[in-house]
Amino acid sequence: MLMVAINFENNLSYALTFLLATLFLVATLHTYANLSGLTIRALRAQPAFAGQQSEFHIMVERSKQRDHYGLHIKWPQSSESLANLTEDDRVNIQLHMAVTNRGWFNPGRLLIESTYPLGLLRTWTWIDLDLHALVYPRPLASAELPGLATDTPDGAAAMVAGNDDFFGFRNYQKGDSLRQVHWKGLAKGQGMQTKQYTAYADRSVWLDWDLFAGLGTEQRLSQLCYWVLEFDSHKEEYGLRLPGLVIEPALGEKHRDRVLKALALFGKEDRPL
Amino acid sequence: MNIQQQVPRNALVWIIICLFALVAPHAARLPVWVLAVYVIAFIWRLQVHRGRWSFPGRWVKVAMTFSASLGIYLSYGTLIGLEPTVALLLTAFALKLIELSQRKDAYVLLFLGYFICVTEFLFSQDILITLLSVVNVTLVTTALVALHQPGEHQFNRGTIKLASTMLLQAVPLMLVVFFVFPRFGPLWTVPIKSHTAKTGMSDHMKPGDVASLSQSGDVAFRVKFEGEIPPKSELYWRGLVFSRLRQDIWSGLGFYEVPLSEQRPSKVSTSGSPLSYSIIMEPTQQNWLYGLHYARSNSPGVMQSSDFRLFSPGPLEAENMYSVNSWLNASADESLSDWRRKAETKLPPLGNLKTRELARELRSGVSSDEEFVDAILARFNIEPYVYTLRPGALAGDNQIDQFLFQSQRGFCEHFASAFVFMMRSAGVPARVVAGYQGGEINPVNNTVIVHQFDAHAWAEVWIEGKGWVRVDPTGAVSPDRIEWGLEEAMQAEGSFLAAAPLSALRFRSVPLLNMLRLRYDALTYRWQSWVVGFDRERQFDLLQRFFGGISAQIFATILLGSWVLVLVPVAISLFRKKDTHPVSRWDKQYLIFCGRMAKLGLVRAPGETPGQFAQRAVAELPVYAKELEQITRQYNAIAYAKVDGSGGSMGEALGRFTRTVTRFKPARRRGVIDETVSS
Amino acid sequence: MQLQGVIDSAVEEVGGILLGKEPQIRLALCCLFARGHLLIEDLPGMGKTTLSHALAAVLGLSWKRVQFTSDLLPADILGVSVYDAKDASFSFHPGPIFTQLLLADEINRTTPRTQSALLEAMAEGQVTVEGETRSLPAPFFVIATQNPVSQSGTYPLPESQLDRFLMRLELGYPHPRAERQMFERRHSGALAINNPQQRITLEQLEIIRVAVSKVHASENLLDYLQRLVAFTRQSPEFEVGLSPRGALALLDCAKTWAAMHNRTHVVPEDVQMVLPAVASHRLVPSGDYAGDGNALVDLLQRKVDVIGS
């Protein structure tokens, strides 16, 4: 265009050419402004099993000053999300990213970039978010639980620790909770007996670290993880015993998450720095 | 397809708007079929959008491109030249719309759009065209912005706001660059406008030519005198000199017909201060320039011919500004070379015998050439000759005879032509001069506007000892024409601008309209002299005036300085933290109060209501119990109660509250500190 | 008529029985004035039933009490059609729900089926038995009590149903001084339960309702409400924020509270006063957050700015 202006000695062409050139300059500010005033908030990260994709929830909030368009948000290895902030003051976006190792996973620095308004310039920023996904061990199927920690002869009413109805006594076995030992009976000389309670569930199971003797730590955790999922899907109560940690048998989502979290963080820092 | 690469619907609408806005100023110059291509492209793209039709295939695209080029070739007869190039560009622009599907297509389309805006200026730099182009640039920018608003599926008029804001912010910088950017000459020759009609005087004249030119109300040029404007009867704008008559057609001497020794104008002795003025000519596609008798110009690209005309080496394709010095009383060619005497007395060997007879008869009755001139003028005056815009067509041979002895109706060229013919018949050197006479004085800015209807032809006669003397035979027939102009001269006939019933010039009798027209004309003059006429010399003058010359350093300083001056405020306005929520006036006052309290170490917690805060504050600062209670009560009344407790309107209550807050200037007195410390 | 005097006397009347619980009594009245159902939650023996009885008496409403047990069926509450051999037709025997004030004791003891039958009736003000819809008397209040969920053998009300209660109150242990007074009273052999008298008539209830409807909520106040609601929906501590119904409940209660205190406009204090009772049972903390609903309300009160800025 400058060539046209020079060769035709046309002043208005000069003017227009310069206008576009300076527009480019002004656009740098506007491009930058498209990212300014944004607040990025880490909402939560969906726990995932190692090797799967974790879902990260992020909220982008704007200042009231202007609309923001075409924000590309992603981690270097994650899926990408495109957000506009026009009518709503905030949007929630989900990014997916593969997680590999058990424990707390930090996705690293988040990249936010945009080429709005003219597309000629790109502005970007890296953000460190305090967002960590809990990565459960990779579930490893094993054909059978090598010796259930229960000894239910008929499976009709499982003996479970719980606050439900008292059922009867049985001989104390190693591993029974001391709280459930029938101390009065022991005092009367009836020997070590354990109080038994029935639960509404049919069976309940102790998933014990020692069940998988001979395997490496990760493998044990993986197999435990598999069985947690198995029992959870069959709506059977289960408890967890790890070295230094006991989770009483129970059922339900919260319980499952608790157990899985224990597996995920076994031998690891609870909160990464 | 990636959403990022899609063209949002909002952008598509803006692009289509751009398309038609961009072609609009070009429309009159384009073949009709190009406009049809636009409509087809629009319909096609619309149908694609609605899912009815599909995008064109590759071969369809090739075929369309080829036929468009062929069409241009057939319409213009060539593909080279400015008009065919622009037409091709515009056709490609429309065709590109059809295949617009991805963002990169849109980039091509929009940058083409900017380019089309530029090409428009090659044809016209008129104010209106400029305004239209500003609109177009805004539209293209808007479309570009809309392109980067993914997911915007509704047409969004708000997009134009950002585009205009950005352009407005860019304008000051643009002006700076515009004024300081060095102007080079053309780097290579560029396609010229071969297809634009030539306007104004043509290079030859036959009876009726000037009369038909006088039907136009277009502006030929505008003149700004440095001093007083001379009387209208003195304003004879010489443009062409016709020295050769052939088959009743007057024309100038060709370049090669003049021997080398005669090509330089003879020296003219000038005395006294000249009349200085500058002229801005509208583009004519011809190369002659206009000036008053004896004109000399220092402007670049203005040359002088041996018959004292001004001319430009190339055709005037754009508005052209030059300044002239004229000496109205200078005598040109005090002595006449033999060659020129011969050339200026030459007549066709045959024809118009009665006129020759009459001339010889009149010459023999007087003693000098000057008396001979008077005799002819007297004859024009006495005989019933009619000055008219509708002289009736003359046909066949001996047209001067026909005019002089039969029709006796003529326009200026008839009289001038007959006069010169008679002069030459008697052996007196004479020639026809064509140009404009008079002009309209615009009281708004004191310019003289010369219109096409001021076109005129007169004669120059060489008189021994005086050189070339201007003789206007028309003045002998119709003195009004010279004194007042064509409109007055034609009042009886009512033929003034008969072909242009809506021309603004016809409404000169309506004061308001006339004023508007003159104001607009003044604006045009200013626009042309400042923007269009800005060239290397003016730039140099300007920079000289403000910065005392220009060097690379100054250039860089100006650029950087202006960027800082403009970009910093823009950046501040963009990045200044605005209040996220508009704070009401009472909240503002209350926050001022809170600020004062905070200085005393009493910070209101976010969840603390004014009442709770006041309680806490009173416990800390019992001295101010009354004021604290008052402020809190008044604030609560304004912020939460529908009706202010003490009566009166909201405004009054607010005023009272503001005063209370302003008066409240707590200071933690020593005693108070001791009190709190001890407690 | 001095509204506040009437209310004060009612509070005093109930307070004579339930010592040292004036704020809760006021909130309970506020809930009933706002035509909402009340849930009282606390450990056994804290005076839940006492409070609900006293409220019924003070308002002079016809009331019935149903002890919810695990074998209670919906028909036991709603009523049942019985075949009358004499008339050879079915006649409807209305259940205890056909009363102005229903005391639902230990609502979490019964099965979800019975719970939802009651809650449906609460929401719609009518019951449908065997295809026939019968409207409940007006006004119709439910005061439900429940033991905290941690007690065994209970069916905790799901969050969606908790939303149907305008307020949830916790009584808590009495103030030592009040407890001491209680002991002394028992010791002196004074009649512990002297039946409370009616202090508010139905007409006065209507007058209060009109007064509430005239209470003005300014832009500033609505802004504050909106900030509160927005905070519950944005902050990571909240799994479930306030629903629009919850937000409206907050406004209604704040207006009623303002009217009860003889004001024609709502001030932020009103909102803050009713906030724990209105919001605590509607908010669910997110998994990572250690606190419960009350802690969330506390967070709301502290973090959300009363004055827009």
Side-chain angles (χ1 to χ4, degrees):
Chain A
M1 274 203 245
L2 188 61
M3 288 300 118
V4 172
I6 291 172
N7 284 329
F8 284 89
E9 294 189 285
N10 189 302
N11 272 324
L12 288 178
S13 301
Y14 271 119
L16 182 56
T17 309
F18 298 148
L19 183 66
L20 294 180
T22 50
L23 179 68
F24 183 80
L25 274 176
V26 172
T28 57
L29 293 175
H30 285 266
T31 311
Y32 185 66
N34 193 36
L35 284 197
S36 103
L38 289 177
T39 311
I40 316 290
R41 216 180 284 183
L43 291 182
R44 62 179 177 277
Q46 209 79 0
F49 296 96
Q52 290 185 337
Q53 300 247 319
S54 178
E55 191 175 66
F56 295 87
H57 294 251
I58 292 167
M59 184 172 80
V60 185
E61 193 176 4
R62 67 162 176 185
S63 59
K64 292 269 186 345
Q65 271 165 278
R66 64 182 79 87
D67 292 349
H68 299 265
Y69 282 99
L71 304 168
H72 298 272
I73 302 168
K74 64 172 187 175
W75 278 286
Q77 271 90 43
S78 77
S79 62
E80 183 178 338
S81 182
L82 184 65
N84 281 345
L85 280 167
T86 48
E87 277 123 49
D88 303 321
D89 284 349
R90 56 190 69 82
V91 288
N92 290 339
I93 58 164
Q94 286 89 41
L95 294 176
H96 296 92
M97 189 168 179
V99 289
T100 47
N101 294 320
R102 166 179 84 79
W104 286 110
F105 172 80
N106 183 353
R109 290 193 302 164
L110 181 73
L111 172 68
I112 302 169
E113 61 174 346
S114 124
T115 58
Y116 181 79
L118 294 188
L120 306 168
L121 298 151
R122 188 181 79 109
T123 174
W124 72 95
T125 179
W126 293 91
I127 290 181
D128 240 329
L129 286 178
D130 181 25
L131 185 61
H132 301 276
L134 188 57
V135 182
Y136 301 143
R138 182 196 301 264
L140 256 184
S142 57
E144 207 177 315
L145 213 49
L148 287 172
T150 60
D151 54 354
T152 45
D154 47 29
M159 319 302 156
V160 240
N163 48 17
D164 299 321
D165 298 18
F166 174 69
F167 179 72
F169 299 104
R170 67 167 162 78
N171 286 334
Y172 176 78
Q173 288 177 331
K174 219 177 144 184
D176 283 355
S177 165
L178 285 179
R179 276 188 289 159
Q180 287 165 8
V181 166
H182 184 47
W183 297 110
K184 280 182 195 164
L186 181 69
K188 286 180 194 163
Q190 289 167 336
M192 197 93 145
Q193 282 185 312
T194 305
K195 284 187 275 188
Q196 288 182 295
Y197 298 85
T198 49
Y200 292 102
D202 294 327
R203 265 185 1 155
S204 79
V205 181
W206 278 102
L207 292 169
D208 200 314
W209 174 259
D210 298 327
L211 289 176
F212 303 93
L215 295 173
T217 307
E218 294 304 317
Q219 260 180 311
R220 285 195 202 197
L221 292 171
S222 288
Q223 300 217 338
L224 283 170
C225 179
Y226 169 78
W227 284 106
V228 167
L229 298 178
E230 273 298 291
F231 285 117
D232 184 66
S233 64
H234 290 105
K235 299 268 177 278
E236 291 179 40
E237 291 203 348
Y238 54 93
L240 178 70
R241 275 197 212 109
L242 293 178
L245 178 86
V246 174
I247 296 175
E248 297 288 315
L251 196 55
E253 244 176 80
K254 283 206 167 170
H255 176 68
R256 185 198 61 204
D257 292 347
R258 216 177 127 214
V259 170
L260 288 174
K261 184 173 177 181
L263 290 176
L265 297 179
F266 178 71
K268 300 218 173 195
E269 286 277 321
D270 187 18
R271 269 283 165 190
L273 292 174
Chain B
M1 191 178 11
N2 189 343
I3 181 166
Q4 195 185 344
Q5 292 310 322
Q6 282 173 8
V7 176
R9 192 177 303 177
N10 180 28
L12 186 62
V13 176
W14 280 111
I15 288 173
I16 290 172
I17 293 175
C18 280
L19 197 77
F20 285 100
L22 282 170
V23 80
H26 287 279
R29 273 189 300 275
L30 290 173
V32 180
W33 66 265
V34 174
L35 300 181
V37 168
Y38 271 76
V39 175
I40 292 167
F42 169 65
I43 293 172
W44 193 329
R45 190 61 187 79
L46 199 68
Q47 294 291 60
V48 168
H49 180 78
R50 295 165 67 185
R52 304 265 169 89
W53 300 357
S54 58
F55 285 109
R58 196 149 69 93
W59 289 109
V60 179
K61 279 192 261 182
V62 170
M64 283 196 300
T65 315
F66 180 74
S67 46
S69 313
L70 189 71
I72 300 286
Y73 182 78
L74 291 177
S75 299
Y76 288 95
T78 172
L79 283 176
I80 299 157
L82 192 61
E83 290 87 349
T85 311
V86 171
L88 200 60
L89 202 64
L90 282 162
T91 317
F93 190 58
L95 292 179
K96 190 76 194 162
L97 177 74
I98 304 178
E99 63 155 359
L100 171 73
S101 69
Q102 293 203 11
R103 187 184 274 190
K104 61 176 167 46
D105 301 322
Y107 280 136
V108 174
L109 196 71
L110 292 175
F111 288 114
L112 210 57
Y114 281 126
F115 199 75
I116 288 172
C117 285
V118 169
T119 59
E120 177 59 38
F121 291 137
L122 303 181
F123 293 99
S124 168
Q125 304 194 65
D126 190 67
I127 300 186
L128 288 176
I129 289 292
T130 310
L131 289 178
L132 198 61
S133 294
V134 166
V135 172
N136 283 347
V137 168
T138 312
L139 285 174
V140 176
T141 311
T142 305
L144 197 57
V145 171
L147 193 60
H148 295 89
Q149 298 182 332
E152 197 66 57
H153 291 311
Q154 293 291 313
F155 172 62
N156 184 353
R157 273 177 300 159
T159 314
I160 203 169
K161 224 172 92 184
L162 179 72
S164 335
T165 313
M166 283 172 43
L167 285 170
L168 278 179
Q169 289 166 343
V171 163
L173 283 180
M174 178 273 281
L175 290 177
V176 171
V177 182
F178 178 81
F179 285 116
V180 300
F181 187 83
R183 297 294 201 275
F184 323 107
L187 301 178
W188 59 79
T189 48
V190 286
I192 51 154
K193 284 183 257 187
S194 46
H195 296 81
T196 306
K198 298 179 176 185
T199 52
M201 286 288 179
S202 67
D203 59 352
H204 58 271
M205 185 187 84
K206 60 181 187 296
D209 275 0
V210 182
S212 69
L213 186 58
S214 293
Q215 300 290 345
S216 163
D218 290 344
V219 172
F221 53 89
R222 295 180 176 83
V223 192
K224 176 96 179 164
F225 283 93
E226 260 166 40
E228 291 261 305
I229 301 174
K232 268 188 183 179
S233 52
E234 285 300 315
L235 298 178
Y236 279 85
W237 307 102
R238 298 174 85 245
L240 290 139
V241 173
F242 298 133
S243 299
R244 190 178 61 187
L245 180 65
R246 217 177 259 167
Q247 288 157 351
D248 293 319
I249 295 173
W250 284 97
S251 60
L253 293 168
F255 185 76
Y256 298 106
E257 293 171 76
V258 184
L260 216 56
S261 56
E262 298 289 335
Q263 277 183 1
R264 294 187 62 80
S266 61
K267 197 162 163 43
V268 175
S269 59
T270 55
S271 60
S273 56
L275 204 57
S276 293
Y277 50 93
S278 60
I279 293 180
I280 300 179
M281 268 186 71
E282 296 287 324
T284 57
Q285 317 303 330
Q286 322 229 42
N287 57 1
W288 34 92
L289 304 171
Y290 295 88
L292 297 176
H293 172 76
Y294 172 65
R296 265 206 311 236
S297 173
N298 292 322
S299 298
V302 179
M303 301 173 81
Q304 201 181 26
S305 69
S306 57
D307 41 17
F308 311 107
R309 289 180 292 121
L310 297 177
F311 68 97
S312 142
L316 302 179
E317 295 192 330
E319 288 86 350
N320 186 22
M321 183 168 180
Y322 57 96
S323 46
V324 189
N325 285 334
S326 282
W327 291 264
L328 296 183
N329 297 321
S331 47
D333 270 350
E334 279 180 334
S335 62
L336 213 55
S337 71
D338 288 343
W339 175 84
R340 188 157 285 282
R341 176 182 290 273
K342 203 173 159 231
E344 305 289 16
T345 51
K346 196 175 173 192
L347 281 177
L350 296 168
N352 295 317
L353 293 173
K354 285 171 83 177
T355 309
R356 290 175 204 242
E357 181 73 25
L358 177 68
R360 276 194 288 273
E361 189 180 302
L362 286 173
R363 179 67 184 89
S364 61
V366 293
S367 56
S368 71
D369 289 348
E370 281 166 296
E371 281 173 37
F372 177 45
V373 169
D374 291 339
I376 298 176
L377 293 183
R379 185 182 155 83
F380 281 149
N381 197 348
I382 293 157
E383 294 280 313
Y385 286 105
V386 179
Y387 179 67
T388 173
L389 263 170
R390 295 164 183 160
L394 301 172
D397 301 331
N398 302 328
Q399 290 192 0
I400 296 174
D401 277 2
Q402 284 179 43
F403 162 65
L404 277 181
F405 301 104
Q406 289 167 28
S407 72
Q408 298 198 326
R409 294 168 62 83
F411 199 56
C412 54
E413 70 267 35
H414 297 91
F415 293 100
S417 168
F419 177 81
V420 172
F421 191 93
M422 286 201 275
M423 279 291 155
R424 289 192 177 187
S425 302
V428 182
R431 57 198 183 188
V432 176
V433 179
Y436 298 88
Q437 197 278 321
E440 180 186 22
I441 293 166
N442 186 347
V444 180
N445 60 350
N446 261 328
T447 51
V448 177
I449 312 165
V450 178
H451 297 96
Q452 294 298 0
F453 60 72
D454 291 318
H456 194 49
W458 61 94
E460 278 180 352
V461 183
W462 190 83
I463 306 289
E464 188 73 51
K466 289 186 178 174
W468 291 102
V469 174
R470 185 185 70 224
V471 179
D472 189 355
T474 307
V477 184
S478 170
D480 282 353
R481 166 69 184 87
I482 312 304
E483 212 63 47
W484 303 105
L486 184 66
E487 190 180 8
E488 274 72 17
M490 292 300 157
Q491 214 150 33
E493 195 175 270
S495 57
F496 177 68
L497 290 185
L502 289 176
S503 166
L505 288 161
R506 284 177 66 97
F507 298 101
R508 281 198 274 196
S509 52
V510 183
L512 182 70
L513 284 180
N514 198 35
M515 202 59 215
L516 281 177
R517 182 183 65 85
L518 290 172
R519 283 205 178 278
Y520 178 71
D521 197 88
L523 195 67
T524 304
Y525 176 81
R526 170 159 287 198
W527 175 253
Q528 288 182 340
S529 63
W530 265 103
V531 179
V532 179
F534 188 80
D535 54 17
R536 229 174 311 173
E537 283 70 27
R538 293 192 138 225
Q539 182 185 32
F540 188 77
D541 288 350
L542 189 84
L543 295 173
Q544 194 81 41
R545 187 139 45 101
F546 285 105
F547 305 104
I550 185 79
S551 68
Q553 273 167 320
I554 291 178
F555 182 73
T557 315
I558 295 172
L559 272 187
L560 287 177
S562 61
W563 287 358
V564 169
L565 275 182
V566 175
L567 292 182
V568 166
V570 170
I572 288 172
S573 78
L574 275 177
F575 297 111
R576 194 185 52 212
K577 281 269 173 286
K578 282 185 200 146
D579 301 322
T580 48
H581 197 78
V583 177
S584 58
R585 285 186 291 166
W586 50 91
D587 281 352
K588 209 177 265 170
Q589 289 298 326
Y590 189 76
L591 291 174
I592 291 173
F593 158 72
C594 286
R596 286 194 190 136
M597 295 303 285
K599 279 189 193 147
L600 302 185
L602 275 167
V603 181
R604 191 183 68 85
E608 220 170 358
T609 65
Q612 292 158 356
F613 180 54
Q615 256 180 8
R616 191 159 64 90
V618 168
E620 283 268 314
L621 298 169
V623 241
Y624 293 117
K626 210 176 125 238
E627 287 91 335
L628 290 169
E629 188 273 332
Q630 191 183 16
I631 286 175
T632 308
R633 183 167 39 77
Q634 289 184 345
Y635 174 76
N636 272 350
I638 296 172
Y640 301 113
K642 194 176 197 169
V643 190
D644 172 33
S646 57
S649 71
M650 186 70 176
E652 286 171 31
L654 185 58
R656 239 187 342 261
F657 178 54
T658 311
R659 280 195 297 280
T660 315
V661 171
T662 317
R663 268 204 305 273
F664 178 64
K665 292 208 171 71
R668 182 165 268 212
R669 276 174 271 167
R670 180 159 287 280
V672 179
I673 293 173
D674 292 347
E675 230 175 76
T676 32
V677 167
S678 61
S679 62
Chain C
M1 181 193 62
Q2 195 60 35
L3 244 178
Q4 200 164 5
V6 173
I7 293 165
D8 284 347
S9 76
V11 172
E12 202 178 304
E13 190 72 26
V14 181
I17 299 158
L18 196 67
L19 297 173
K21 293 285 171 218
E22 200 193 309
Q24 283 89 339
I25 296 167
R26 280 192 186 276
L27 280 170
L29 283 172
C30 173
C31 174
L32 299 182
F33 294 154
R35 304 278 148 144
H37 306 296
L38 179 64
L39 179 67
I40 308 178
E41 186 179 289
D42 221 318
L43 296 163
M46 304 294 267
K48 300 189 293 281
T49 315
T50 316
L51 172 62
S52 31
H53 285 196
L55 283 174
V58 160
L59 290 171
L61 300 172
S62 72
W63 57 277
K64 282 178 185 149
R65 181 179 167 210
V66 180
Q67 180 70 40
F68 278 49
T69 55
S70 56
D71 55 358
L72 196 76
L73 294 172
D76 295 335
I77 304 170
L78 304 180
V80 70
S81 292
V82 176
Y83 184 73
D84 193 336
K86 243 187 274 166
D87 301 355
S89 67
F90 284 94
S91 63
F92 182 69
H93 286 239
I97 200 168
F98 289 90
T99 182
Q100 287 174 316
L101 194 144
L102 179 74
L103 302 178
D105 259 347
E106 312 238 42
I107 191 171
N108 57 342
R109 280 265 163 215
T110 195
T111 53
R113 197 154 72 103
T114 314
Q115 286 175 357
S116 64
L118 172 67
L119 293 161
E120 245 177 74
M122 281 162 56
E124 286 156 25
Q126 57 186 27
V127 289
T128 305
V129 181
E130 281 146 25
E132 210 174 317
T133 302
R134 293 181 169 82
S135 26
L136 295 168
F140 173 70
F141 296 117
V142 172
I143 300 181
T145 68
Q146 80 168 1
N147 290 333
V149 186
S150 52
Q151 296 269 316
S152 60
T154 57
Y155 300 88
L157 289 172
E159 276 112 31
S160 59
Q161 306 215 328
L162 280 175
D163 205 30
R164 302 217 188 278
F165 288 100
L166 186 63
M167 281 192 191
R168 186 189 66 167
L169 289 178
E170 284 170 27
L171 291 175
Y173 294 110
H175 193 269
R177 209 180 307 143
E179 204 160 23
R180 184 62 168 262
Q181 205 182 342
M182 220 162 70
F183 296 156
E184 279 162 5
R185 215 188 254 189
R186 174 61 61 90
H187 186 69
S188 68
L191 281 174
I193 311 286
N194 47 341
N195 277 343
Q197 301 298 308
Q198 179 179 6
R199 296 292 173 153
I200 301 174
T201 63
L202 272 183
E203 291 78 55
Q204 285 169 332
L205 210 56
E206 192 54 41
I207 290 169
I208 293 173
R209 193 218 285 269
V210 171
V212 169
S213 67
K214 284 183 181 158
V215 169
H216 169 69
S218 69
E219 291 290 320
N220 272 51
L221 189 99
L222 295 181
D223 286 347
Y224 175 50
L225 267 181
Q226 220 160 14
R227 280 195 295 274
L228 280 173
V229 172
F231 187 82
T232 68
R233 293 172 191 168
Q234 286 162 24
S235 288
E237 290 88 358
F238 297 80
E239 176 82 36
V240 177
L242 269 188
S243 62
R245 182 171 19 181
L248 285 176
L250 191 56
L251 178 59
D252 285 347
C253 289
K255 283 172 77 171
T256 312
W257 191 261
M260 284 170 69
H261 293 80
N262 240 357
R263 252 180 291 106
T264 52
H265 61 270
V266 187
V267 293
E269 280 91 340
D270 298 328
V271 178
Q272 295 198 345
M273 283 308 293
V274 299
L275 187 66
V278 176
S280 69
H281 61 296
R282 299 172 203 259
L283 297 173
V284 180
S286 67
D288 294 342
Y289 188 68
D292 59 354
N294 289 325
L296 288 178
V297 169
D298 187 48
L299 197 72
L300 261 184
Q301 297 224 354
R302 277 186 296 111
K303 286 279 181 72
V304 180
D305 204 337
V306 177
I307 291 158
S309 58

